[in-house]
Amino acid sequence: MKALLFPFSPTEPSVQLTRDFPELDWTVVQSPEDVARAAPGAAIYVTSNRTCKAETGEALRRHGQALRWMHFTSAGIDNGIAMGIPDGVIVTNSAGVRAGNVSEHALTLLLALVRKLPNLMACQRAHEWRRVEMTPHISSLEGATVCVVGRGPIGRELARKLAAINARPIAVSRTPDSDGDVEQVFPRERLHDALAISDAIAICTAGDETSRHMIGAAEFAAMKPSAVIVNVARGSIVDEAALTAALKDGRIAGAGLDVVETEPMDRANPLWDMPNVIVSPHVAGQGSSGYPQQRKLFGDNLARFRDGKPMLNECKVPART
């Protein structure tokens, strides 16, 4: 069976799939032109959201008539949808493969904000021992209500970590199911109710057409002035202009951003210089390769694909207009 792999770099861990699944006839491609040449006869296409461009989508639609399964080594598939996935193709992603790393990064940002690490580091750079001045501003996640928006693998793992440090995680989700790690699950229609009682908010939901600017001016108005927010999902979920205004006006206390609406973030963006903002350059998933989990997921799905069984992590892709 012919398979194509389009890694975002030659050293991406997913390149090892070509070694670990030698029963597939692999071709590694590095450009839309490569895709156009290699796509005829290929049943499987493995890629990353980071490689998806309009030219690649056009090459797949024009030359990939045999394509039946597209697997993303990333959790996000929004660029893939934008480039135009051929109709009738099964699409799976790698949501959950890096849930441990991303949830750890989210917790790090939350702790840094409530413990005022940006302010403390400013004191360090100024060689100022401001214990008396800083003490009243430092808080804790212990006993704090933390709203986790999204109940996918990252959201669930973050809730577990929060419960372990005696925070009180609640969740906002499209699905009402609950478990022992959260005290309450709010439907999306009650997002404002959840935000109003939260001391911190963590955005972990998928970035799609239903979540674009899910957090905007009205949502910041619903939050406590003392609340902090972190986003480790997609920049499109948070209205950046509304976030900037809320931070400037003191309507919320701080933000930790691993993702922003336009990446890389413009050097003139005012969020860079706000003392109550932490920016990291979309690195929440880093720290370990995640390849063993990736290999298992791909292997399980390959067996399901051959047997015509439902696929793990299958994504709903809107029809092209």
Side-chain angles (χ1 to χ4, degrees):
M1 189 183 303
K2 185 175 179 180
L4 305 187
L5 172 65
F6 194 157
F8 67 81
S9 80
T11 59
E12 180 190 358
S14 66
V15 174
Q16 297 175 68
L17 292 172
T18 62
R19 178 198 65 196
D20 292 337
F21 295 91
E23 66 271 30
L24 296 176
D25 178 16
W26 289 99
T27 300
V28 178
V29 296
Q30 298 179 316
S31 69
E33 293 75 22
D34 287 350
V35 172
R37 284 190 292 268
I44 301 171
Y45 182 72
V46 180
T47 190
S48 164
N49 197 47
R50 293 167 65 177
T51 70
C52 294
K53 298 180 180 180
E55 297 82 0
T56 305
E58 182 180 357
L60 286 172
R61 293 191 302 274
R62 179 174 297 180
H63 303 284
Q65 285 80 8
L67 191 64
R68 293 165 55 206
W69 172 29
M70 181 181 293
H71 176 65
F72 284 80
T73 58
S74 53
I77 66 168
D78 47 307
N79 290 339
I81 291 172
M83 81 174 182
I85 293 171
D87 293 333
V89 173
I90 298 169
V91 177
T92 59
N93 72 355
S94 297
V97 166
R98 294 180 180 268
N101 291 343
V102 179
S103 62
E104 183 178 301
H105 198 84
L107 182 59
T108 298
L109 291 174
L110 286 168
L111 286 167
L113 289 168
V114 300
R115 302 301 297 179
K116 301 298 182 186
L117 287 192
N119 308 79
L120 293 172
M121 292 185 72
C123 294
Q124 178 183 342
R125 289 191 294 271
H127 298 190
E128 295 177 350
W129 187 268
R130 303 184 63 190
R131 181 183 184 187
V132 173
E133 295 89 344
M134 286 302 305
T135 295
H137 301 289
I138 296 173
S139 57
S140 173
L141 289 181
E142 184 175 6
T145 298
V146 183
C147 178
V148 180
V149 180
R151 294 282 288 150
I154 295 169
R156 290 177 184 272
E157 180 60 19
L158 177 58
R160 187 189 69 80
K161 286 179 167 68
L162 288 165
I165 62 171
N166 298 318
R168 300 177 58 201
I170 62 173
V172 172
S173 177
R174 283 175 282 201
T175 55
D177 64 302
S178 182
D179 57 40
D181 290 327
V182 295
E183 296 190 359
Q184 186 175 359
V185 178
F186 291 77
R188 279 194 175 186
E189 294 74 20
R190 294 187 58 201
L191 172 62
H192 286 202
D193 293 337
L195 297 177
I197 62 173
S198 298
D199 301 297
I201 298 94
I203 307 300
C204 302
T205 195
D208 55 31
E209 68 279 1
T210 71
S211 61
R212 177 170 172 74
H213 286 188
M214 183 181 180
I215 306 296
E219 288 68 40
F220 290 120
M223 296 177 193
K224 298 178 181 180
S226 58
V228 297
I229 185 170
V230 304
N231 187 2
V232 292
R234 284 292 181 266
S236 61
I237 298 169
V238 177
D239 182 335
E240 200 167 286
L243 169 64
T244 303
L247 289 163
K248 281 183 177 179
D249 297 342
R251 292 197 295 274
I252 62 170
L257 306 172
D258 188 58
V259 290
V260 292
E261 287 205 71
T262 301
E263 298 182 8
M265 195 162 84
D266 191 286
R267 294 176 65 87
N269 193 314
L271 291 169
W272 284 117
D273 299 313
M274 290 186 174
N276 53 348
V277 174
I278 303 172
V279 176
S280 59
H282 206 148
V283 294
Q286 306 309 307
S288 64
S289 72
Y291 180 70
Q293 300 94 318
Q294 183 75 254
R295 181 181 59 223
K296 183 179 186 307
L297 174 62
F298 183 81
D300 289 347
N301 264 343
L302 180 59
R304 288 169 176 265
F305 178 65
R306 284 171 166 159
D307 293 340
K309 294 181 178 179
M311 307 283 273
L312 304 173
N313 282 21
E314 187 167 350
C315 304
K316 185 180 294 185
V317 177
R320 289 186 293 115
T321 55

